[in-house]
């Protein structure tokens, strides 16, 4: 018979195991959800410090108000109130290069830079590497993931807090070091100062925790799922989706067709 090995969940007649632990006795009521999510992804139990940084990232990404992901979740629920899963899925499917995806983009970008060099030993070395990196990106006509924010133009409050937590837990690694250095030196190249945004610093922190780069967006989506459940709960108490729908539907304006393609 074909076997399908897994170190995750398995069930027998009277027992459920998860990650080699007895789910009922050793996990439930003893392991926080954030700790468990980290454990599931890495198959190693995180330290208390790692759990603190990881859960700070989840909190930072959970909800940002009426973003497109939140709006589409509410509108989908308005259209199909019998499909909570559809409403949540609609919001999660909107996690891309402009919202939520920056977490993965930044983590991958920093990792690519670090994979080609030896990590500097002091702040001056990090600044030199960051300066070289920013110049190369500008010459290539590419943006720097995690740099800039459409609202927090004077500074994203999540960024210094996550820096602080990582330092407190001695988990301020090379990805955060390079990201912080980019924040210090980029005005020399760009001629203006842009904030290091929260999604970017979350990607740097997750990369420093050793989490798979391929899953960084998944952790952002995990965090946003909680936020979208909150959006639906508020929609039940104080609905706004119908007003959003009607504001568009009742104010559309008919215009002549504009054929494309010659």
């Amino acid at each position: 018979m074909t076997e399908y090995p897994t170190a995750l969940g398995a069930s027998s007649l009277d027992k459920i195991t998860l990650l080699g632990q007895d789910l009922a006795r050793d996990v439930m009521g003893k392991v926080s959800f954030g700790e468990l999510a980290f454990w599931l992804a890495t198959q190693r139990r995180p330290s208390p410090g790692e759990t603190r940084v990881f859960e700070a990232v989840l909190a930072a990404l959970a909800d940002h108000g009426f973003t497109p992901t939140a709006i589409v979740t509410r509108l989908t629920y308005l259209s199909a109130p019998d499909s909570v899963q559809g409403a949540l899925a609609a919001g999660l499917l909107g996690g891309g290069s402009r919202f939520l995806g920056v977490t993965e983009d930044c983590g991958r970008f920093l990792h690519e830079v670090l994979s080609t060099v030896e990590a500097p030993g002091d702040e001056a070395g990090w600044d030199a590497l960051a300066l070289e990196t920013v110049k190369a990106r500008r010459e290539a006509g590419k943006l720097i993931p995690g740099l800039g924010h459409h609202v927090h133009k004077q500074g994203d409050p999540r960024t210094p807090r996550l820096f602080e937590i990582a330092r407190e837990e001695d988990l301020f690694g090379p990805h955060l070091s390079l990201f912080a250095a980019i924040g210090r030196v980029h005005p020399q190249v760009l001629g203006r100062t842009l904030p290091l945004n929260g999604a970017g610093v979350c990607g740097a922190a997750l990369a420093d925790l050793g989490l798979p780069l391929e899953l960084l967006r998944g952790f952002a989506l995990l965090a946003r799922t909680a936020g979208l459940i909150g959006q639906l709960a508020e929609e039940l108490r104080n609905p706004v989706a119908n007003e959003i729908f009607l504001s568009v539907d009742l104010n559309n304006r008919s215009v002549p067709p504009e054929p494309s393609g010659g």
Side-chain angles (χ1 to χ4, degrees), residues 164-179:
E164 180 181 34
I165 292 170
R167 286 193 173 99
E168 288 173 354
E169 301 300 338
D170 198 24
L171 290 168
F172 199 96
H175 298 85
L176 284 169
S177 295
L178 178 56
F179 194 55

PDB file of all heavy atoms in Angstrom, residues 164-179:
ATOM      1  N   GLU A 164      12.322  47.614  17.401  1.00  0.00           N
ATOM      2  CA  GLU A 164      12.535  47.587  18.849  1.00  0.00           C
ATOM      3  C   GLU A 164      12.312  46.185  19.417  1.00  0.00           C
ATOM      4  O   GLU A 164      13.122  45.684  20.210  1.00  0.00           O
ATOM      5  CB  GLU A 164      11.585  48.589  19.514  1.00  0.00           C
ATOM      6  CG  GLU A 164      11.697  48.666  21.020  1.00  0.00           C
ATOM      7  CD  GLU A 164      10.707  49.656  21.621  1.00  0.00           C
ATOM      8  OE1 GLU A 164       9.581  49.792  21.094  1.00  0.00           O
ATOM      9  OE2 GLU A 164      11.058  50.292  22.630  1.00  0.00           O
ATOM     10  N   ILE A 165      11.225  45.553  19.013  1.00  0.00           N
ATOM     11  CA  ILE A 165      10.910  44.211  19.522  1.00  0.00           C
ATOM     12  C   ILE A 165      11.988  43.219  19.102  1.00  0.00           C
ATOM     13  O   ILE A 165      12.435  42.389  19.904  1.00  0.00           O
ATOM     14  CB  ILE A 165       9.521  43.765  19.029  1.00  0.00           C
ATOM     15  CG1 ILE A 165       8.429  44.629  19.671  1.00  0.00           C
ATOM     16  CG2 ILE A 165       9.275  42.286  19.336  1.00  0.00           C
ATOM     17  CD1 ILE A 165       7.045  44.427  19.080  1.00  0.00           C
ATOM     18  N   ALA A 166      12.417  43.288  17.836  1.00  0.00           N
ATOM     19  CA  ALA A 166      13.453  42.368  17.361  1.00  0.00           C
ATOM     20  C   ALA A 166      14.754  42.555  18.133  1.00  0.00           C
ATOM     21  O   ALA A 166      15.438  41.574  18.470  1.00  0.00           O
ATOM     22  CB  ALA A 166      13.682  42.568  15.865  1.00  0.00           C
ATOM     23  N   ARG A 167      15.103  43.800  18.424  1.00  0.00           N
ATOM     24  CA  ARG A 167      16.331  44.058  19.190  1.00  0.00           C
ATOM     25  C   ARG A 167      16.184  43.534  20.617  1.00  0.00           C
ATOM     26  O   ARG A 167      17.136  42.952  21.173  1.00  0.00           O
ATOM     27  CB  ARG A 167      16.643  45.553  19.202  1.00  0.00           C
ATOM     28  CG  ARG A 167      17.186  46.079  17.873  1.00  0.00           C
ATOM     29  CD  ARG A 167      17.769  47.481  18.033  1.00  0.00           C
ATOM     30  NE  ARG A 167      18.433  47.930  16.818  1.00  0.00           N
ATOM     31  CZ  ARG A 167      17.880  48.748  15.918  1.00  0.00           C
ATOM     32  NH1 ARG A 167      16.645  49.207  16.113  1.00  0.00           N
ATOM     33  NH2 ARG A 167      18.547  49.107  14.835  1.00  0.00           N
ATOM     34  N   GLU A 168      15.024  43.747  21.214  1.00  0.00           N
ATOM     35  CA  GLU A 168      14.801  43.263  22.584  1.00  0.00           C
ATOM     36  C   GLU A 168      14.957  41.753  22.671  1.00  0.00           C
ATOM     37  O   GLU A 168      15.402  41.227  23.697  1.00  0.00           O
ATOM     38  CB  GLU A 168      13.408  43.673  23.057  1.00  0.00           C
ATOM     39  CG  GLU A 168      13.258  45.164  23.341  1.00  0.00           C
ATOM     40  CD  GLU A 168      11.823  45.561  23.632  1.00  0.00           C
ATOM     41  OE1 GLU A 168      10.916  44.708  23.506  1.00  0.00           O
ATOM     42  OE2 GLU A 168      11.603  46.734  23.997  1.00  0.00           O
ATOM     43  N   GLU A 169      14.581  41.043  21.622  1.00  0.00           N
ATOM     44  CA  GLU A 169      14.654  39.582  21.620  1.00  0.00           C
ATOM     45  C   GLU A 169      15.933  39.056  20.971  1.00  0.00           C
ATOM     46  O   GLU A 169      16.065  37.858  20.742  1.00  0.00           O
ATOM     47  CB  GLU A 169      13.430  39.005  20.892  1.00  0.00           C
ATOM     48  CG  GLU A 169      12.091  39.396  21.506  1.00  0.00           C
ATOM     49  CD  GLU A 169      11.937  38.937  22.945  1.00  0.00           C
ATOM     50  OE1 GLU A 169      12.641  37.974  23.352  1.00  0.00           O
ATOM     51  OE2 GLU A 169      11.120  39.534  23.681  1.00  0.00           O
ATOM     52  N   ASP A 170      16.879  39.959  20.681  1.00  0.00           N
ATOM     53  CA  ASP A 170      18.147  39.584  20.050  1.00  0.00           C
ATOM     54  C   ASP A 170      17.910  38.845  18.734  1.00  0.00           C
ATOM     55  O   ASP A 170      18.593  37.873  18.410  1.00  0.00           O
ATOM     56  CB  ASP A 170      18.989  38.719  20.994  1.00  0.00           C
ATOM     57  CG  ASP A 170      20.464  38.662  20.578  1.00  0.00           C
ATOM     58  OD1 ASP A 170      20.924  39.595  19.897  1.00  0.00           O
ATOM     59  OD2 ASP A 170      21.140  37.678  20.932  1.00  0.00           O
ATOM     60  N   LEU A 171      16.941  39.335  17.972  1.00  0.00           N
ATOM     61  CA  LEU A 171      16.590  38.731  16.687  1.00  0.00           C
ATOM     62  C   LEU A 171      16.662  39.756  15.555  1.00  0.00           C
ATOM     63  O   LEU A 171      16.003  39.607  14.524  1.00  0.00           O
ATOM     64  CB  LEU A 171      15.183  38.117  16.759  1.00  0.00           C
ATOM     65  CG  LEU A 171      15.075  36.862  17.642  1.00  0.00           C
ATOM     66  CD1 LEU A 171      13.623  36.497  17.887  1.00  0.00           C
ATOM     67  CD2 LEU A 171      15.829  35.693  17.004  1.00  0.00           C
ATOM     68  N   PHE A 172      17.466  40.791  15.775  1.00  0.00           N
ATOM     69  CA  PHE A 172      17.671  41.808  14.742  1.00  0.00           C
ATOM     70  C   PHE A 172      18.791  41.313  13.845  1.00  0.00           C
ATOM     71  O   PHE A 172      19.968  41.567  14.075  1.00  0.00           O
ATOM     72  CB  PHE A 172      18.041  43.145  15.385  1.00  0.00           C
ATOM     73  CG  PHE A 172      17.829  44.339  14.494  1.00  0.00           C
ATOM     74  CD1 PHE A 172      16.653  45.071  14.580  1.00  0.00           C
ATOM     75  CD2 PHE A 172      18.793  44.735  13.578  1.00  0.00           C
ATOM     76  CE1 PHE A 172      16.442  46.181  13.773  1.00  0.00           C
ATOM     77  CE2 PHE A 172      18.589  45.838  12.764  1.00  0.00           C
ATOM     78  CZ  PHE A 172      17.408  46.568  12.854  1.00  0.00           C
ATOM     79  N   GLY A 173      18.403  40.576  12.808  1.00  0.00           N
ATOM     80  CA  GLY A 173      19.374  39.904  11.964  1.00  0.00           C
ATOM     81  C   GLY A 173      19.761  40.691  10.725  1.00  0.00           C
ATOM     82  O   GLY A 173      19.486  41.896  10.613  1.00  0.00           O
ATOM     83  N   PRO A 174      20.372  40.023   9.749  1.00  0.00           N
ATOM     84  CA  PRO A 174      20.899  40.721   8.575  1.00  0.00           C
ATOM     85  C   PRO A 174      19.827  41.360   7.694  1.00  0.00           C
ATOM     86  O   PRO A 174      20.083  42.410   7.095  1.00  0.00           O
ATOM     87  CB  PRO A 174      21.659  39.629   7.821  1.00  0.00           C
ATOM     88  CG  PRO A 174      21.097  38.339   8.328  1.00  0.00           C
ATOM     89  CD  PRO A 174      20.726  38.596   9.755  1.00  0.00           C
ATOM     90  N   HIS A 175      18.658  40.750   7.592  1.00  0.00           N
ATOM     91  CA  HIS A 175      17.614  41.333   6.741  1.00  0.00           C
ATOM     92  C   HIS A 175      17.109  42.646   7.335  1.00  0.00           C
ATOM     93  O   HIS A 175      16.952  43.639   6.619  1.00  0.00           O
ATOM     94  CB  HIS A 175      16.454  40.344   6.567  1.00  0.00           C
ATOM     95  CG  HIS A 175      16.848  39.066   5.892  1.00  0.00           C
ATOM     96  ND1 HIS A 175      17.387  38.015   6.593  1.00  0.00           N
ATOM     97  CD2 HIS A 175      16.792  38.683   4.579  1.00  0.00           C
ATOM     98  CE1 HIS A 175      17.646  37.025   5.745  1.00  0.00           C
ATOM     99  NE2 HIS A 175      17.301  37.407   4.524  1.00  0.00           N
ATOM    100  N   LEU A 176      16.877  42.654   8.645  1.00  0.00           N
ATOM    101  CA  LEU A 176      16.471  43.899   9.300  1.00  0.00           C
ATOM    102  C   LEU A 176      17.598  44.926   9.269  1.00  0.00           C
ATOM    103  O   LEU A 176      17.349  46.126   9.109  1.00  0.00           O
ATOM    104  CB  LEU A 176      16.038  43.617  10.742  1.00  0.00           C
ATOM    105  CG  LEU A 176      14.667  42.972  10.913  1.00  0.00           C
ATOM    106  CD1 LEU A 176      14.470  42.498  12.353  1.00  0.00           C
ATOM    107  CD2 LEU A 176      13.543  43.933  10.522  1.00  0.00           C
ATOM    108  N   SER A 177      18.836  44.466   9.408  1.00  0.00           N
ATOM    109  CA  SER A 177      19.969  45.393   9.385  1.00  0.00           C
ATOM    110  C   SER A 177      20.090  46.087   8.034  1.00  0.00           C
ATOM    111  O   SER A 177      20.320  47.305   7.961  1.00  0.00           O
ATOM    112  CB  SER A 177      21.270  44.638   9.704  1.00  0.00           C
ATOM    113  OG  SER A 177      21.252  44.129  11.024  1.00  0.00           O
ATOM    114  N   LEU A 178      19.936  45.331   6.962  1.00  0.00           N
ATOM    115  CA  LEU A 178      20.019  45.924   5.635  1.00  0.00           C
ATOM    116  C   LEU A 178      18.833  46.847   5.377  1.00  0.00           C
ATOM    117  O   LEU A 178      18.999  47.939   4.811  1.00  0.00           O
ATOM    118  CB  LEU A 178      20.074  44.826   4.574  1.00  0.00           C
ATOM    119  CG  LEU A 178      20.107  45.292   3.116  1.00  0.00           C
ATOM    120  CD1 LEU A 178      21.264  46.253   2.856  1.00  0.00           C
ATOM    121  CD2 LEU A 178      20.182  44.098   2.171  1.00  0.00           C
ATOM    122  N   PHE A 179      17.657  46.436   5.817  1.00  0.00           N
ATOM    123  CA  PHE A 179      16.463  47.262   5.614  1.00  0.00           C
ATOM    124  C   PHE A 179      16.606  48.585   6.358  1.00  0.00           C
ATOM    125  O   PHE A 179      16.300  49.656   5.819  1.00  0.00           O
ATOM    126  CB  PHE A 179      15.228  46.503   6.084  1.00  0.00           C
ATOM    127  CG  PHE A 179      13.927  47.100   5.641  1.00  0.00           C
ATOM    128  CD1 PHE A 179      13.671  47.335   4.302  1.00  0.00           C
ATOM    129  CD2 PHE A 179      12.941  47.413   6.567  1.00  0.00           C
ATOM    130  CE1 PHE A 179      12.454  47.879   3.885  1.00  0.00           C
ATOM    131  CE2 PHE A 179      11.731  47.949   6.164  1.00  0.00           C
ATOM    132  CZ  PHE A 179      11.484  48.181   4.822  1.00  0.00           C
TER     133      PHE A 179
END
